Amino acid sequence: MRRILIAGNWKMNVIDNINPVIDSSMKNDVDVLIMPPFIYLERFNTAIKGSRVKLGAQNMSSQEKGAFTGEISPLFLKEFGIEYVAIGHSERRHIFKETDEEISLKMQKAIDLNLKPILCVGETESQRSINKHKFVVENQLKIALGGIENNLKNIIIAYEPVWAIGTGNTATPNDAEEMHLFIREQISFIFGRNVSSEMTLLYGGSVTEENVKDLLRKDNIDGVLVGGSSLKGDKFAKIIEIAGKTNI
Ligand code: PEP
């Protein structure tokens, strides 16, 4: 049985008020995750203590230590009790030119260290316009997941079409579900049906309190990755509340 996961990616921002999120996570039977900037991880780790909110990082290095100025080791995440880490977010891929190969190294490292990686995949608008969206996502999955053999239960996939991130252009629930079903089939080819049917698949891209219900009603959408709408505590709390009701 897959549980609903509501994850907030704060990018290079900090939430205005975490308290409504903590309250909402207590009242609603869904998993809640926040991903603050690295430097705020410790502060929010303290803030969420005793609540059901979990903590994740937005990125990590594929290397454990060494001369990598400005990078964050996955061992540091472990040391601070961080369970989750986003890998291959579209802003990392497109702005910071992270390659599929680098993302694959990060996935392998996260899995080896028993972290829970949220692998982000998704096509650009021009790739969708020439009907290559499934091909692109299939390729991203194959490269990022190839060679991984253990801790498969830790893997979460977030489908985040690039054209939907921060644009207000949410994918329709049907289009998102079509891709999620496709992703589940691909996971089944890579890891087998049992792993695939248990894997949590998130949708991300302009999720709001207005559209979250219809997205979560779809069979293969197990949660959402929320950027902009996770920065206002009361809005994010509302999304958690709506997800809690959808769960019943
Ligand atoms: C994201 O940052 O992963 C994201 C989906 O952002 P937004 O919700 O703002 O589109």
Side-chain angles (χ1 to χ4, degrees):
M1 188 59 192
R2 304 187 298 262
R3 282 179 60 75
I4 289 185
L5 172 62
I6 306 298
N9 172 22
W10 298 352
K11 313 191 190 201
M12 205 167 69
N13 305 288
V14 178
I15 199 167
D16 64 341
N17 181 7
I18 191 76
N19 294 332
V21 176
I22 293 175
D23 288 351
S24 192
S25 76
M26 294 298 203
K27 291 185 200 135
N28 294 286
D29 187 25
V30 294
D31 291 334
V32 177
L33 168 68
I34 54 168
M35 292 188 280
F38 284 125
I39 203 160
Y40 289 108
L41 281 167
E42 203 180 356
R43 184 209 278 187
F44 282 95
N45 209 3
T46 307
I48 60 174
K49 257 215 172 81
S51 82
R52 290 176 33 197
V53 180
K54 295 172 182 173
L55 198 62
Q58 299 173 15
N59 183 29
M60 61 171 232
S61 172
S62 62
Q63 305 299 312
E64 292 187 6
K65 64 175 181 174
F68 301 103
T69 302
E71 289 293 280
I72 298 287
S73 165
L75 294 180
F76 302 161
L77 302 183
K78 296 285 293 181
E79 191 183 332
F80 284 90
I82 314 297
E83 248 185 294
Y84 293 81
V85 57
I87 291 188
H89 188 277
S90 84
E91 286 148 20
R92 303 288 330 160
R93 292 176 187 264
H94 295 281
I95 303 172
F96 300 101
K97 309 294 174 216
E98 271 186 27
T99 62
D100 282 317
E101 288 67 29
E102 177 65 7
I103 289 162
S104 153
L105 289 177
K106 291 184 182 195
M107 284 297 295
Q108 187 66 64
K109 182 58 73 180
I111 286 295
D112 287 349
L113 292 173
N114 205 14
L115 286 160
K116 294 182 177 150
I118 302 176
L119 171 67
C120 303
V121 296
E123 80 287 356
T124 64
E125 190 166 27
S126 61
Q127 288 163 337
R128 182 166 272 261
S129 73
I130 54 169
N131 211 21
K132 284 265 189 279
H133 47 296
K134 288 187 177 163
F135 172 78
V136 168
V137 168
E138 180 182 345
N139 222 36
Q140 289 171 336
L141 291 170
K142 269 192 194 150
I143 301 176
L145 301 174
I148 291 179
E149 285 171 358
N150 48 340
N151 290 337
L152 301 178
K153 282 203 175 103
N154 283 2
I155 302 172
I156 294 167
I157 310 281
Y159 169 56
E160 298 207 295
V162 180
W163 46 269
I165 299 179
T167 59
N169 243 348
T170 326
T172 63
N174 284 346
D175 283 349
E177 171 67 8
E178 187 190 4
M179 185 60 96
H180 278 229
L181 190 57
F182 177 75
I183 291 172
R184 215 176 282 290
E185 280 165 14
Q186 299 310 305
I187 299 297
S188 185
F189 293 142
I190 301 171
F191 294 133
R193 193 149 291 283
N194 288 349
V195 174
S196 168
S197 64
E198 291 292 314
M199 194 169 282
T200 298
L201 305 186
L202 308 180
Y203 165 80
S206 298
V207 171
T208 63
E209 54 197 281
E210 282 80 38
N211 57 33
V212 66
K213 183 169 160 194
D214 290 338
L215 287 160
L216 289 178
R217 278 196 171 145
K218 294 293 180 186
D219 286 349
N220 288 286
I221 301 182
D222 310 315
V224 285
L225 180 46
V226 188
S229 298
S230 71
L231 293 175
K232 294 251 177 280
D234 54 351
K235 274 187 187 290
F236 195 43
K238 184 83 192 157
I239 289 176
I240 295 164
E241 187 191 320
I242 295 167
K245 290 194 180 121
T246 315
N247 216 5
I248 297 167

